[in-house]
Amino acid sequence: MANYFNERDKKFTLRLRELRDTLPEFCDEFFIGIEPLTTPMTRLYYAYDLRIFFDYLMQNVRAFRNYTDMLDFTVSDLEKITTQHLEAYLEYLSLYEYDGKEYTNGSKGKARKISTVRTFFKYYFNHDRISSNVAAKLTMPKQRDKEIIRLEEREVSRILDVAEYGEGMTEHQRKIQRNTRYRDVAILTLLLGTGIRVSECVGLNLSDIDFDTNAFTVTRKGGNRAILYFGDEVAVALQEYIDSERKALINRCEKLAPGDTDALFLSLQVRRISVRAVENLVKKYAVEAAPLKRISPHKLRSTFGTNLYRATGDIYMVADVLGHRDVNTTKKHYAAIEEDHRKIASKVIKLRDSTED
């Protein structure tokens, strides 16, 4: 049986091979060297970023302006790049043109692309292919802490009601909603009730679910498998969808694609639902439930993490359930709730009995 994540990684690998053919030949050493330590998705993003970097060098650095193709670069050319060139590249990333299209980057986008360049130079320096690592001197863009957007309790109820009953939606939207309401409620309930990532959600197979123990297996970031648990509300929503809409879709389809036969969540075309489709359905229902907030599947994950932390006060539990490798990542996201706890703590301790005469 085809595995969603294996098929996804296969697509990334094939696309990476296409991109590597457009990059300098010496880059092959880099991609082969980091293969055991990275995922196909990470390597693909590296290739995209390096393509932009070499294009920048040809267009903006005098030493390379006579180069007509990225394939003209050799590893010795890395010695010609200075810290000043890299600092100028950082500024360039704010607004640039590539392949006829205009692009912009905020601090997050800049940080990722600079991280790629630093990893690239570090690899060749550590393997004695260049004499110095100028990229190590480059300061990473300052990351501003974003406000954590999440749904409040009444908004959680509201988004589930909209998905189930179609309240506030147009007639066209309700026509679609009537055919997918059990699936959509199941997806929203699962995301809100377990905090899994959208990729983990679309990658679920029916065989991953065990209703006897209310447990399911997910493939985490990096490919690790983990067993998670869900509550009765999630169980009911999943079972209703499986027994109704999913069964009807399977019965009307003569033959499913190999990667879709065991898929838990199906589209109306009887294919495994995509990440984009889940993002769109969350946005569609959230507009009615919380019109002033930009809600995505990740915001539903934040909602779960917030609720779990408020209920337990255990940041390590939240980190484990969310699949964060570093608890500091979790702390950064839920620091505001720690302030709530401090406020509560200040009111719990009584120094004098106010009932005394």
Side-chain angles (χ1 to χ4, degrees):
M1 178 177 62
N3 178 280
Y4 165 78
F5 293 97
N6 290 341
E7 289 299 310
R8 186 189 66 175
D9 287 349
K10 179 180 176 181
K11 291 179 182 178
F12 289 154
T13 299
L14 293 175
R15 177 59 180 148
L16 174 60
R17 288 176 183 171
E18 292 177 6
L19 289 180
R20 279 172 57 177
D21 285 341
T22 68
L23 291 170
E25 187 174 354
F26 73 90
C27 293
D28 286 345
E29 303 173 40
F30 172 69
F31 287 107
I32 293 171
I34 66 172
E35 193 274 337
L37 305 173
T38 56
T39 65
M41 181 187 293
T42 297
R43 295 193 295 280
L44 180 60
Y45 283 141
Y46 281 165
Y48 282 129
D49 293 345
L50 289 173
R51 191 171 58 168
I52 294 168
F53 178 61
F54 283 111
D55 183 72
Y56 158 79
L57 293 176
M58 288 193 298
Q59 303 297 329
N60 297 276
V61 177
R62 187 173 288 110
F64 308 118
R65 283 181 181 167
N66 64 327
Y67 288 20
T68 58
D69 195 289
M70 292 183 196
L71 298 177
D72 294 336
F73 283 90
T74 65
V75 69
S76 61
D77 285 326
L78 296 183
E79 302 276 12
K80 303 174 186 178
I81 299 171
T82 67
T83 303
Q84 288 71 34
H85 292 145
L86 297 181
E87 289 174 343
Y89 177 57
L90 179 59
E91 187 276 332
Y92 168 84
L93 289 172
S94 297
L95 174 64
Y96 65 93
E97 187 175 296
Y98 181 81
D99 200 21
K101 294 182 180 180
E102 189 175 274
Y103 296 90
T104 61
N105 281 284
S107 58
K108 185 176 181 180
K110 288 182 178 181
R112 195 197 82 184
K113 290 178 174 60
I114 293 301
S115 178
T116 295
V117 172
R118 292 178 68 172
T119 301
F120 188 66
F121 271 79
K122 181 180 178 181
Y123 175 84
Y124 288 102
F125 177 70
N126 287 347
H127 287 76
D128 298 320
R129 301 282 273 133
I130 55 177
S131 60
S132 64
N133 181 7
V134 294
K137 302 176 183 178
L138 191 62
T139 303
M140 293 291 283
K142 184 177 177 60
Q143 295 285 319
R144 291 186 298 176
D145 291 335
K146 287 187 176 181
E147 178 188 3
I148 302 300
I149 299 175
R150 58 181 74 86
L151 294 176
E152 300 302 327
E153 186 176 344
R154 59 181 177 78
E155 292 169 333
V156 169
S157 297
R158 175 69 177 154
I159 195 172
L160 294 173
D161 286 344
V162 174
E164 187 168 3
Y165 305 113
E167 297 176 5
M169 302 178 72
T170 65
E171 187 53 40
H172 175 69
Q173 288 176 323
R174 294 189 74 166
K175 185 176 180 181
I176 299 173
Q177 176 265 342
R178 282 192 284 269
N179 292 319
T180 63
R181 64 173 183 163
Y182 287 110
R183 182 202 67 188
D184 295 352
V185 169
I187 289 174
L188 291 171
T189 305
L190 181 65
L191 293 174
L192 286 163
T194 65
I196 60 173
R197 299 177 177 88
V198 62
S199 61
E200 295 166 350
C201 176
V202 302
L204 281 173
N205 289 330
L206 190 61
S207 57
D208 291 326
I209 312 293
D210 180 4
F211 286 105
D212 289 336
T213 58
N214 277 11
F216 65 113
T217 306
V218 294
T219 301
R220 290 295 202 187
K221 253 184 175 181
N224 295 326
R225 300 277 281 174
I227 296 176
L228 302 178
Y229 298 87
F230 50 82
D232 292 338
E233 287 180 283
V234 176
V236 170
L238 289 175
Q239 199 71 69
E240 286 183 340
Y241 159 66
I242 292 168
D243 291 341
S244 57
E245 290 172 358
R246 188 183 186 281
K247 182 180 288 186
L249 285 171
I250 295 294
N251 289 340
R252 85 177 195 200
C253 185
E254 294 182 2
K255 186 178 180 182
L256 275 72
D260 302 329
T261 53
D262 194 33
L264 176 60
F265 294 115
L266 298 171
S267 68
L268 291 176
Q269 290 72 42
V270 202
R271 300 294 304 271
R272 181 185 294 274
I273 198 169
S274 67
V275 168
R276 178 63 61 84
V278 175
E279 290 172 341
N280 288 339
L281 75 86
V282 169
K283 180 179 179 181
K284 175 176 67 175
Y285 296 125
V287 166
E288 300 298 330
L292 299 182
K293 297 179 179 179
R294 296 182 62 181
I295 300 300
S296 64
H298 192 75
K299 301 302 187 294
L300 302 188
R301 177 171 161 84
S302 295
T303 299
F304 169 81
T306 300
N307 292 337
L308 182 60
Y309 191 27
R310 280 179 173 155
T312 65
D314 189 339
I315 198 69
Y316 293 95
M317 177 190 291
V318 177
D320 180 57
V321 174
L322 290 179
H324 289 163
R325 294 181 180 179
D326 186 352
V327 72
N328 288 319
T329 301
T330 319
K331 286 182 178 179
K332 181 177 69 174
H333 283 98
Y334 301 103
I337 308 173
E338 291 185 345
E339 185 175 344
D340 290 345
H341 286 164
R342 295 187 193 108
K343 289 179 180 178
I344 293 171
S346 70
K347 298 175 183 178
V348 169
I349 304 301
K350 301 296 181 183
L351 302 180
R352 292 184 179 180
D353 187 351
S354 58
T355 60
E356 288 183 359
D357 294 335

